[in-house]
Each structure stands twice: as structure tokens, then as C-alpha cells.
Amino acid sequence: MSEDSRYLCTSCYGGTVPLPRWKIGYTTCLPCGEVQAKKRKHTVAPLNKSNYMLFTDPELLKQLNPKRT
Ligand SMILES: [Zn+2]
């Protein structure tokens, strides 16, 4: 279980991110993740969310790219 301690929470820098959680894209510990999940409902508009996904998901970006050479 020592691997888990490698992934430091990028929000509070005090907690650690469980490995399975890190692998699915989270960079925060569980308490910070919950706080961010609540904030997200208020701060992220649908349009921003789709733009955000383009930067975080290279595979999706390829699919959406009209230039298929
Ligand atoms: Zn944290």
C-alpha cells in the first residue's frame, strides 16, 4: 500500500490520492474531491466543461478533429 503515498493531493498538499482514484484522473484526496465536486456544480458551465474535456482527453480530441489525414 506504500504506492498510494506517492500521489500527493494537489489541492491541500497534505492528503494523498488513493492509487485507483489517481488512475481515473483525480489529483485530490477524498475530502478535497468532495469539496471540488460540490464547487463544480456552481462554477462550471456546460460550454466550459466541453472545452475542458478537449484538453484532458487527447483521444476525444482526435475523434473530434475534422482533419483525418
Ligand atoms: Zn486534499
Side-chain angles (χ1 to χ4, degrees), residues 9 11-13 15 28-29 32:
C9 173
S11 183
C12 68
Y13 297 100
T28 58
C29 63
C32 289

